[in-house]
Amino acid sequence: MLSVLQNNINNVICHGRRNVLRNLTVIKCNFSNQPSHQKIFDRNAKRLQKERAALSPDVELYDYLKEEVGYRLADRVFDIKKEFNTAADLGCNRGFLSRHILAESVKHLTLCDMSPAMLSQATGTPGLEISKREIDEELWDFPEQSLDLVISSLSLHWINDLPGCFGKIIRSLKEDGVFIASMFGGDTLYELRSSLQLAELERKGGIAPHISPFTQIRDVGALLNRAGFTMLTIDTDEIVIGYPTMYELMFDLKGMAENNAAFNRPVHLDRDTMMASSAIYKEMYGNEKGVPATFQIIYFVGWKPGPNQPTPLPRGSGEVSLKDLGKMIENSAKSKKQKTDK
């Protein structure tokens, strides 16, 4: 009797183990099918927004911000005293960056954008060889080690998988290739964001994501390091633009194709909330001329490792201690003064 009972117990235990292993296998397979990143932005909605903005008859009225940022970013390309044979502009929009790239710096530039209307309107400077590719920035598929330079101006903040995008970019770069880009930072439109949130808290008792999330500057450096870029240079700039009211700001954002494209964006913003938001905006941030809107721009430069790049000396090879640096500067200043006195 005891032996029969023991056999039944062993069968139950073995059957339970098989079920547990089967369940673990199913769980493992389910996890492996999960995407490596979260889908925050609706790329199809963003493409339609860009198409609508590009086909507008007064599209040039809304170029002022992206034109200025493109000019500043092109100046950073010009500062690198190196000629790039092959380059690509990731998310070129209407050519706000390519129209400032000189042929003395770049020989051939490939313009990439997912909006055919914006791509058709992009141009370059005289003497610059240009080709165009209609491609989603998230589907970057340039061959490995085929580019000397990758540039992007105010386009990366709409990409869902930013680490994966950086990884594709560094693989497409040749050794000692460089990645130069700009994107909106986390403090962009903080006035509009806070005004909408306060108005909704008052009217509805909760908030909705009317402003898309932006990347913080500390995260950009971490992601570039993770992708393998070296000799990073990251800086920020703030551009403050004045508007008569909040409504003109929102109208211009739509004209720039920078309206919200998050999946969880609300479909409708009722009139009461908009009027309350405008009043809060004016009260908290306004002045006698209107209301300001802050755009934080993050500029960054990253290099792909190469044999000709400068590398730090081995640890412990220094001959001068940092604590003696002050004394060395004082001695140098004294010696210069003595020479001038003589």
Side-chain angles (χ1 to χ4, degrees):
M1 184 69 179
L2 291 175
S3 61
V4 174
L5 182 61
Q6 184 67 34
N7 291 333
N8 290 336
I9 293 173
N10 291 335
N11 291 334
V12 171
I13 293 174
C14 292
H15 183 69
R17 287 176 177 174
R18 285 195 294 270
N19 287 338
V20 171
L21 291 175
R22 190 180 298 113
N23 292 335
L24 288 175
T25 304
V26 172
I27 292 173
K28 183 177 180 181
C29 294
N30 289 338
F31 274 118
S32 63
N33 293 330
Q34 296 293 326
S36 59
H37 59 278
Q38 184 178 2
K39 292 285 187 179
I40 300 176
F41 304 113
D42 187 347
R43 298 291 297 174
N44 184 56
K46 179 50 58 181
R47 181 182 61 83
L48 294 176
Q49 290 172 0
K50 297 178 74 171
E51 283 286 290
R52 180 175 56 195
L55 296 175
S56 176
D58 57 349
V59 60
E60 295 182 356
L61 294 177
Y62 311 104
D63 289 348
Y64 54 90
L65 178 61
K66 294 187 176 182
E67 180 74 22
E68 177 64 24
V69 176
Y71 174 78
R72 297 184 184 186
L73 189 63
D75 193 50
R76 285 167 165 79
V77 177
F78 184 74
D79 287 339
I80 300 177
K81 304 305 179 184
K82 179 181 178 180
E83 184 178 359
F84 302 99
N85 293 324
T86 56
D89 186 353
L90 179 61
C92 65
N93 292 298
R94 297 185 60 247
F96 303 111
L97 182 55
S98 61
R99 65 185 65 166
H100 301 293
I101 298 296
L102 301 179
E104 291 79 3
S105 300
V106 178
K107 183 177 180 180
H108 183 274
L109 178 62
T110 303
L111 303 180
C112 306
D113 201 277
M114 64 177 178
S115 168
M118 284 200 168
L119 193 62
S120 63
Q121 298 174 14
T123 58
T125 57
L128 177 64
E129 300 178 12
I130 286 181
S131 60
K132 298 181 179 181
R133 287 188 60 184
E134 182 184 338
I135 182 175
D136 193 326
E137 295 92 320
E138 290 189 347
L139 304 178
W140 181 266
D141 61 348
F142 277 79
E144 293 188 9
Q145 298 191 13
S146 60
L147 299 171
D148 298 302
L149 170 69
V150 175
I151 52 179
S152 180
S153 180
L154 298 183
S155 177
L156 297 173
H157 57 282
W158 292 116
I159 292 180
N160 287 296
D161 185 14
L162 200 56
C165 178
F166 286 171
K168 293 177 182 178
I169 290 173
I170 195 171
R171 285 192 293 270
S172 65
L173 284 171
K174 299 178 183 178
E175 291 185 347
D176 204 26
V178 60
F179 176 37
I180 306 176
S182 65
M183 61 189 303
F184 287 120
D187 291 338
T188 298
L189 297 176
Y190 73 89
E191 304 98 339
L192 180 61
R193 187 194 304 271
S194 59
S195 300
L196 289 169
Q197 290 176 351
L198 290 173
E200 282 195 321
L201 281 173
E202 178 193 1
R203 301 289 176 169
K204 299 182 178 181
I207 61 176
H210 295 285
I211 308 297
S212 299
F214 296 108
T215 308
Q216 299 292 336
I217 184 172
R218 60 179 180 274
D219 299 326
V220 173
L223 292 176
L224 289 171
N225 271 320
R226 174 182 170 184
F229 288 99
T230 60
M231 298 193 300
L232 302 180
T233 303
I234 306 175
D235 62 284
T236 61
D237 193 8
E238 284 192 354
I239 300 177
V240 181
I241 302 175
Y243 296 90
T245 64
M246 182 192 76
Y247 303 110
E248 284 79 8
L249 166 61
M250 298 176 71
F251 194 80
D252 279 19
L253 290 175
K254 183 178 179 180
M256 299 176 193
E258 290 298 332
N259 35 340
N260 196 357
F263 276 111
N264 61 347
R265 66 190 184 276
V267 179
H268 179 68
L269 182 62
D270 60 79
R271 182 178 300 177
D272 289 342
T273 304
M274 288 191 66
M275 294 180 66
S277 301
S278 179
I280 293 173
Y281 203 135
K282 179 68 175 178
E283 180 66 24
M284 293 181 61
Y285 307 104
N287 50 47
E288 64 278 0
K289 296 181 180 179
V291 295
T294 301
F295 296 89
Q296 184 188 37
I297 315 298
I298 301 176
Y299 301 94
F300 55 89
V301 180
W303 295 80
K304 183 173 182 178
N308 298 325
Q309 289 182 359
T311 56
L313 295 174
R315 186 178 179 85
S317 60
E319 298 179 356
V320 179
S321 176
L322 288 177
K323 66 180 181 180
D324 299 329
L325 186 60
K327 296 180 180 179
M328 295 177 61
I329 296 175
E330 292 178 0
N331 295 334
S332 177
K334 290 180 180 178
S335 62
K336 290 182 179 179
K337 184 177 180 181
Q338 291 177 356
K339 290 181 179 179
T340 54
D341 292 341
K342 293 180 180 179

